[in-house]
Structures are given as C-alpha cells and as structure tokens.
Amino acid sequence: SFLAQFCGYGYTNAFGVYQAFYTENYLTSESASTISWIGSIISFFVTGLGLICGPLFDRGYFYHVFIGGAILQSFSLFMLSMVKPGNYYQVLLAQGFGVGIGQGLMYVPSFAVLSHHFDRRRTTMMSIVASGASLGGIAHTIMLNKLLNGPFGFEAGVRISAGFVSMVLFLSCLLVRPRYETVQKTSSVNLWKATKKCFTEVPSLLTILGFTFFQTAYLYPMFYLPTDSLRHGLGASFSFYSLVIVNAASFVGRFVAGPVTHLVGIIDITVTTSVVCAILIIGMIWLGTAASVISLGVLYGLFSGMNIAMMAPMFGLTTAPAELGVRLGVGFAVTGVGALVGSPICGALLTSRYIWWAPALFSGAITLTGGLLFIAMRIAFFRTAPKAEHAGKEVAE
C-alpha cells in the first residue's frame, strides 16, 4: 500500500514540475489556469473514483481494481511520452484522465485493505501508508526535474519515469494481500443505506464538507510554489527544489501523525492543522526570498501532511468495518470535487499578470472555512457519542 501511494498521490504531488515545465516550455500557448486543469483532474480522479472502488472493494474485487489501476497508470505514462509540444488535449487525455483514473483505482483500496490486517494500530498504519505519497513526491520531483530539464528532454524523460513507476507498481501488486475472511462478510451491506448515512449523520457530513474545503486549497502551494519562486527570480534549480522541501516536510508530517493521535486525538489534529495551513497559505502573499520559501515550505508541508494523513481515520470514526470501503469511497469522491476546481480557480485569479495575493487569499479563506467545519464536527461528534472521551485514540481503532 505504501508503494501504491508512492506512485499514486506521490506522482500527483510532483505535478508542480510538470506545471512549470508546461508553462515555460511545452504548452506555452496555454494559460497557467488551463494547464492546472491537468493536475486538478488527476487529483479529482485519485479520490473521486473511491465512489466506485470502495463498494467494489467491500464486495471482494480488490485485485481486479488494484491491478487494473496499476496497468492503466503505467500505460498512460508511456502514452504521455509520445505527445508532441503544443498538443494540450493529448496531454490532458493521457495524463489528466489516463494517469488520474489509474491512480484513482488504487487509492481507496490501498487504504481500505489495511483494515483487514490491523485493528488496534490501524490509524498509525494509515498514516505510515499516507507518508508514501510525500516520499513519492520527493523522489518524483527530483527525478522529473533532472529528466525534463536535463539532457533527456520530455519524451525520453517521461519514458524513464514511466518505467520506474511501472516497476514499483509491479512490486506493489506482488506484495499486497487482502484478507476478506478476517472481516464481516459485506454482501449484506446495503450500499444505498451506507451511502445515505454519509450525509444524514451530522458528524460524517461535516467531515466530508471540511475536507472538501481543505482539498480545494490544499494543492495551491503544491502546484504554484515552483512558479512563484521562478517569477520572484530565485532560479530554476531552487524553484523546483522548493517542491522537494514541501514534500519532505509532508513526509515527516504524515509519518508522525499516527503516533501523535494517541496523545492529541484525530479530530484535534485535523482542526489545528487546518487553521495553521490557512495562515501559511495567506502568508504566501509575502514570499520573495529563499529563506521565506524554505520556511513556509517546511511548515506547510509538515502541517498539511498531518492533515491529509487524518482523512481516512476521520472518515472511519463513525463507521463499522463492514462499511469502511463505502464510507471512504463516498468521502474521497466528494472531497475530490474540491481538488478538481481549486487549482483552476487559483490559476484564474492569478491571471497572466501573476497577481499572487488573490489566489493566496482565496485559498487561505477556503482552508479556514474547512477548519471551522471541523470544529463543528468535533462538537457534533461528542454530542452523539458522549462516552467517546478519547475518540481520536480509541474510537477510530
């Protein structure tokens, strides 16, 4: 599961390299907002397909979905390497739809399968698996930067990247194993009733809305920090490594999030990290020096990584194991809408004149709204479950 995240959301976290490369070299006739749709569509499919993958996982089709996603992602990356400069819609089809759907087919099952093997430490395991996305963001960012902006060029560079991803996904498919015999048979689970609970139970609804708002703004620094650094004259090499800094800090945040929940609690971590991320995103308005980029990148990566690591545990707070696939699928699908529209909106606010305060202020306000929804969720959750005094440490497990 860790390796699936490494090549799934980890590859998406490195899209900032593609964003800058397309803007400056490969798709120069397209605006930043138009190009960002590619990354947004990938992000949407990664989580949005959970609506399909979750129920399929609960019904025993883990291998069909997981291996199918791995094959599609590998194939689509090789197709991307064949696209010539200026062909925006071919890039959109191969990378946005092909890679996005492939990653989406693997995302929710890679988390849900952990419930077959872990009970008491499930939250910790989910945070460790989630850290694979950040480690993948580091590795893919460095690799793509060297390949695309080095002697290899786009065609050979993407092909090498596709080969590497294919080998890692092959290993992931060999290692992962579901254990359906260890959990309650889910054939009796009513899909409609389980889906309806996501929106009729107040804590569940507020959780979904909170993460939808957070996801709307989450990718703004990930997609635009390299471009921001370039436009402020910090150099091409530093601009690309600014994304490495964010992903490195995010890796630490996701990795430590699980153990920290035993001290603080899942809900409290989610609330705190949302508010801090909102402040940091607004702080991007004043970026201009290498020191400011490094400082903000480290802090944003750390706190956003912890927040993302809490998504699956938060959705699992109010559900039984038999409905976990459905709950994760529905939750991730709805939040994917935020990821779909967020970056293009930021690109439109940025305009060709690069008005940096507009998207930063918008993203910060949206993230803060998510934090307020999580506070409301905390109040509603403890009202409906008054005996769960240590929900973050016990209920989810």
Side-chain angles (χ1 to χ4, degrees):
S1 292
F2 181 93
L3 294 177
Q5 291 293 315
F6 181 92
C7 291
Y9 225 124
Y11 206 86
T12 303
N13 285 340
F15 182 77
V17 178
Y18 280 109
Q19 174 82 26
F21 183 80
Y22 290 154
T23 302
E24 302 291 333
N25 301 287
Y26 218 68
L27 300 174
T28 54
S29 61
E30 306 294 339
S31 66
S33 177
T34 302
I35 293 173
S36 68
W37 273 107
I38 300 171
S40 295
I41 289 174
I42 297 175
S43 301
F44 169 73
F45 279 126
V46 168
T47 56
L49 283 181
L51 193 61
I52 300 173
C53 299
L56 288 176
F57 170 85
D58 286 340
R59 282 161 173 73
Y61 294 99
F62 172 79
Y63 284 122
H64 304 75
V65 175
F66 196 83
I67 296 176
I71 293 173
L72 179 59
Q73 182 179 354
S74 176
F75 173 77
S76 298
L77 283 175
F78 279 109
M79 292 299 100
L80 176 64
S81 69
M82 302 172 63
V83 177
K84 301 302 179 183
N87 293 314
Y88 171 77
Y89 288 101
Q90 292 182 13
V91 175
L92 182 66
L93 178 63
Q95 189 170 13
F97 286 89
V99 174
I101 293 174
Q103 293 179 1
L105 290 173
M106 303 180 73
Y107 187 75
V108 168
S110 69
F111 277 115
V113 73
L114 298 176
S115 64
H116 290 191
H117 301 273
F118 300 97
D119 183 19
R120 218 165 51 83
R121 299 293 181 182
R122 187 183 303 161
T123 300
T124 301
M125 293 302 106
M126 283 184 172
S127 68
I128 292 174
V129 168
S131 68
S134 297
L135 188 62
I138 299 170
H140 294 304
T141 298
I142 295 174
M143 176 181 287
L144 289 170
N145 182 34
K146 295 293 185 181
L147 292 173
L148 299 183
N149 298 287
F152 292 98
F154 183 82
E155 182 177 346
V158 174
R159 199 163 294 165
I160 293 172
S161 176
F164 173 71
V165 168
S166 299
M167 289 189 293
V168 175
L169 289 179
F170 178 73
L171 182 59
S172 176
C173 292
L174 284 180
L175 292 174
V176 70
R177 289 289 184 274
R179 295 171 62 190
Y180 285 101
E181 69 278 4
T182 66
V183 296
Q184 177 184 349
K185 295 298 182 181
T186 59
S187 58
S188 60
V189 174
N190 187 302
L191 177 60
W192 168 246
K193 288 184 178 179
T195 303
K196 187 179 179 180
K197 287 180 183 178
C198 296
F199 303 101
T200 56
E201 295 177 358
V202 176
S204 176
L205 175 61
L206 291 173
T207 300
I208 291 174
L209 291 176
F211 278 116
T212 300
F213 275 88
F214 185 86
Q215 288 279 17
T216 302
Y218 163 69
L219 291 173
Y220 169 65
M222 307 293 288
F223 285 4
Y224 288 100
L225 188 60
T227 305
D228 194 346
S229 301
L230 272 175
R231 290 290 169 176
H232 281 91
L234 298 180
S237 178
F238 177 82
S239 67
F240 287 114
Y241 281 102
S242 65
L243 193 57
V244 176
I245 294 170
V246 176
N247 280 305
S250 180
F251 172 75
V252 176
R254 296 185 191 217
F255 195 83
V256 304
V260 171
T261 59
H262 297 281
L263 301 174
V264 181
I266 296 173
I267 303 176
D268 291 336
I269 288 179
T270 306
V271 170
T272 303
T273 54
S274 297
V275 175
V276 173
C277 285
I279 296 172
L280 292 171
I281 291 175
I282 294 174
M284 289 184 66
I285 296 173
W286 296 279
L287 286 183
T289 64
S292 64
V293 173
I294 293 173
S295 299
L296 189 140
V298 169
L299 292 174
Y300 182 78
L302 179 66
F303 286 100
S304 66
M306 294 179 70
N307 187 285
I308 294 299
M310 291 298 100
M311 284 187 68
M314 281 283 283
F315 287 135
L317 274 176
T318 57
T319 184
E323 296 180 354
L324 183 61
V326 176
R327 289 295 187 103
L328 287 178
V330 173
F332 282 132
V334 177
T335 60
V337 176
L340 175 66
V341 302
S343 293
I345 291 175
C346 290
L349 292 172
L350 185 62
T351 73
S352 59
R353 294 179 293 145
Y354 294 96
I355 305 173
W356 291 106
W357 66 265
L361 194 60
F362 165 78
S363 298
I366 289 293
T367 306
L368 183 60
T369 303
L372 295 176
L373 287 168
F374 288 131
I375 294 175
M377 180 271 176
R378 188 185 190 282
I379 296 172
F381 179 77
F382 283 103
R383 281 182 177 175
T384 56
K387 295 182 180 181
E389 297 179 359
H390 303 285
K393 294 180 283 187
E394 298 174 2
V395 177
E397 296 171 352

